[in-house]
Amino acid sequence: MYEHDITLTVNGATEELTVESRTLLVHALRDGLGYTGPNVGCESGKCGACTVHLDGDAVKSCTLLAVQADGGAVTTVEGMATADGADGPDDAADALHPIQRAFHEEHGLQCGYCTPGMVMTAAQVLEENPDPSREAIRASLKGNICRCTGYHNVVNAVESAADSLRNLDSSTEGE
Amino acid sequence: MFPPQFGYRRAGSVAEAVDLLAEFSDRDARVLAGGHGLLPDLKAGREAPDVLVDVGGVDDLRYVEAEGGATAVGALTTYADVDENERLWSRATAFAEAVSHVGDVQIRNRGTVGGNLAQADPSADPPAAALVSEATLVARGPDGRRDIDAADFFEGDGGTTLRDGELLTEVRIPAVDDGSEGSGATAGGAYHKETHPASGYALVGVAAAVVVEDGDVTDARVAVNGVTDPPRRLAPVEAALDGAPADAESVEAAADRATEDIDPGAAVSDAYASGAYRVEVLPVHVRRSLETALDRATGAAATPTRPPHRPAADDGGDRR
Ligand SMILES: Cc1cc2nc3c(=O)[nH]c(=O)nc-3n(C[C@H](O)[C@H](O)[C@H](O)COP(=O)(O)OP(=O)(O)OC[C@H]3O[C@@H](n4cnc5c(N)ncnc54)[C@H](O)[C@@H]3O)c2cc1C
Ligand code: FES
Ligand code: FES
């Protein structure tokens, strides 16, 4: 009752591990499995640095027990870029997800601590609403705090990512 | 911040949850739903239960259904589920709007309606709306089903009249009698909140539900969270509106009576805002909530069908 063998599918890979009841998902991911994309900021559910997707929904992995996620599919920021093509600086940039590339191009980050969480929240938001207003982008990032950049470039990045994703969508339509 | 050690068991059904709670009746066993109220409490050391009975996977408790005149909301329905439910927005507007003010995208994906009401935080958003909706909270325990009026549910300091071993399973919201059978009466609801920028909770949150017939208010219900503990209806405001013309003057006069039976010394007071401040601004928020509810009842404003943070893709919002 105090230790649990759980299975998580992380970025498509099946991972088995033993956790305590009290182990938080973010610690299982970082310390148990080595996915250090989700960061620990406030530890109280407010900053969003630990945001991952669980079964398709953006969640704060510091406010979830690992055992609650047993059997679930987790996507971390490591799962956003395509794995191949990372042989050099140019290829690495190509491998980035359009949202990651937009943060890079719009200077939507400084230290980058909040960025994995921002990217994961933005990904869910853009999936539901591919053409959000700036106001809607701001409202949807309410649970993600950035201590460095301020939010203007973050909003620019999400808006620019929305444009690229819509273009991608229309160019692949009918394939 | 690691929570202290505890045992954990997952329930696959309501019956199994009730059995597990009974099995651990000699220990400090606690229900775990979304965990967004409980885990912060565990991490901060405010709570240290022995065993958590996780009902998060009981999908049978995740629904919004029409039943007779009422709308039944399963306890495990998430805030995000409520956002998308047009029936709740149109039939229980104050409730849907209050739920839409909770937390942020991530919190809303996990937190549940039942967990919020069971947690009964005096500054949470949904309780005032449950009060003005005259909702019934359905509990299941070893002795079967028990129906509790929202008015009898909240006890202050996060307490509720749920008994040990009982699970909250459903919130039933009766349809407002808006005389849709032909009398010409129309109903409107609203929730208005002054959000504390750091905590995200309500410093003051006011839910209002009104019925208007031939230009007069025939039913008005108003309740507040964040100011009194527990949240409660504001009887003097309701009385002032009863039978009054549905206009700005009536709202103003009613809002002036917002603090009439509130003891400022007993008002909620914490690091975020003093009780005196909350009582001082309450009438303003009562007025705003009532204005919106009346505008929606009279058709002067449209009743929203989804929350502002989840606009439809073609909301035509300002793009740059
Ligand atoms: C960052 C952050 C911001 C927040 N902002 C807001 C806000 O703006 N407004 C607001 O209202 N709330 C807010 N909350 C609180 C949160 O939304 C709720 O308290 C929480 O979601 C409760 O639902 P849950 O399913 O997560 O419950 P849990 O955390 O699982 O449980 C909460 C309590 O209720 C009990 N419980 C849960 N379900 C049941 C049941 N079915 N039967 C009996 N008992 C039960 C548990 O035992 C526990 O005591 C915030 C929380 C966080 C972390
Ligand atoms: S670390 Fe999870 S929200 Fe801040
Ligand atoms: S870039 Fe440093 S916290 Fe956001």
Side-chain angles (χ1 to χ4, degrees):
Chain A
M1 191 160 75
Y2 297 89
E3 284 211 341
H4 313 270
D5 296 324
I6 65 168
T7 307
L8 300 174
T9 306
V10 186
N11 303 331
T14 305
E15 306 270 14
E16 288 176 3
L17 71 164
T18 303
V19 295
E20 288 186 313
S21 303
R22 63 175 171 170
T23 305
L24 301 169
L25 179 60
V26 69
H27 297 307
L29 290 169
R30 290 179 58 90
D31 309 336
L33 300 171
Y35 296 95
T36 54
N39 286 331
V40 179
C42 68
E43 300 188 68
S44 60
K46 294 195 172 83
C47 76
C50 64
T51 302
V52 299
H53 290 190
L54 176 60
D55 296 328
D57 293 327
V59 298
K60 290 175 171 171
S61 59
C62 74
T63 310
L64 260 173
L65 300 174
V67 64
Q68 283 178 288
D70 185 17
V74 174
T75 309
T76 67
V77 75
E78 286 97 337
M80 296 301 278
T82 46
D84 49 357
D87 296 333
D90 293 346
D91 291 343
D94 283 347
L96 290 180
H97 185 278
I99 299 176
Q100 293 173 307
R101 202 170 321 132
F103 269 81
H104 173 77
E105 283 165 5
E106 298 289 336
H107 199 42
L109 65 146
Q110 277 184 31
C111 78
Y113 202 78
C114 67
T115 313
M118 293 275 185
V119 168
M120 299 315 289
T121 307
Q124 186 200 334
V125 166
L126 292 180
E127 196 177 300
E128 284 177 14
N129 183 1
D131 190 11
S133 63
R134 289 180 68 82
E135 202 186 0
I137 293 171
R138 284 184 179 275
S140 62
L141 289 174
K142 181 179 167 197
N144 291 76
I145 293 174
C146 177
R147 299 231 182 259
C148 311
T149 55
Y151 299 92
H152 200 73
N153 288 356
V154 170
V155 178
N156 291 348
V158 176
E159 197 172 36
S160 146
D163 287 344
S164 328
L165 287 166
R166 282 199 312 276
N167 289 337
L168 260 181
D169 257 9
S170 53
S171 66
T172 53
E173 247 165 49
E175 261 177 25
Chain B
M1 261 194 293
F2 295 88
Q5 194 54 279
F6 49 79
Y8 169 96
R9 294 282 290 274
R10 186 185 283 197
S13 66
V14 173
E16 203 184 325
V18 171
D19 286 349
L20 282 169
L21 290 171
E23 182 185 329
F24 298 121
S25 60
D26 55 339
R27 309 184 41 184
D28 183 7
R30 208 67 68 79
V31 174
L32 175 69
H36 278 40
L38 194 49
L39 293 182
D41 279 349
L42 294 179
K43 288 201 276 181
R46 289 187 292 265
E47 302 262 10
D50 285 340
V51 189
L52 299 188
V53 174
D54 184 1
V55 298
V58 183
D59 288 335
D60 296 357
L61 288 182
R62 198 170 165 182
Y63 56 84
V64 178
E65 276 166 13
E67 258 186 53
T71 306
V73 184
L76 270 267
T77 305
T78 63
Y79 307 125
D81 295 335
V82 171
D83 287 350
E84 284 160 18
N85 196 281
E86 292 196 6
R87 184 184 164 88
L88 276 172
W89 279 94
S90 66
R91 307 284 296 186
T93 311
F95 187 78
E97 195 162 53
V99 168
S100 80
H101 277 83
V102 177
D104 51 57
V105 169
Q106 296 98 311
I107 303 295
R108 305 169 55 67
N109 281 333
R110 291 290 305 181
T112 68
V113 166
N116 192 294
L117 295 173
Q119 174 117 357
D121 189 303
S123 299
D125 298 297
L131 290 173
V132 300
S133 309
E134 297 189 335
T136 301
L137 308 190
V138 181
R140 300 255 173 199
D143 303 327
R145 169 178 169 155
R146 199 162 69 88
D147 286 12
I148 311 164
D149 281 348
D152 301 326
F153 186 75
F154 304 106
E155 286 205 308
D157 219 10
T160 70
T161 52
L162 272 180
R163 297 178 189 147
D164 283 347
E166 266 182 346
L167 188 67
L168 181 61
T169 55
E170 187 175 276
V171 182
R172 298 181 66 79
I173 304 175
V176 179
D177 183 14
D178 65 355
S180 22
E181 304 304 300
S183 68
T186 48
Y191 179 73
H192 177 85
K193 174 185 189 182
E194 179 168 336
T195 305
H196 190 275
S199 79
Y201 280 85
L203 288 181
V204 180
V206 180
V210 298
V211 178
V212 176
E213 193 170 351
D214 296 330
D216 289 334
V217 180
T218 55
D219 187 14
R221 306 174 194 164
V222 183
V224 63
N225 5 261
V227 179
T228 64
D229 185 14
R232 54 185 263 207
R233 298 264 293 262
L234 299 176
V237 175
E238 295 180 355
L241 275 173
D242 195 18
D247 61 21
E249 260 166 60
S250 307
V251 167
E252 193 77 51
D256 281 346
R257 299 185 56 186
T259 59
E260 202 170 284
D261 64 356
I262 291 179
D263 169 9
V268 176
S269 184
D270 57 22
Y272 298 117
S274 68
Y277 173 78
R278 292 170 202 251
V279 171
E280 178 77 23
V281 299
L282 174 60
V284 177
H285 297 295
V286 168
R287 176 167 59 71
R288 290 185 187 159
S289 184
L290 274 170
E291 276 168 0
T292 308
L294 276 179
D295 282 352
R296 288 174 181 167
T298 57
T303 296
T305 55
R306 53 197 306 141
H309 50 82
R310 289 217 161 165
D314 58 348
D315 70 336
D318 168 29
R319 298 239 331 122
R320 204 174 269 272

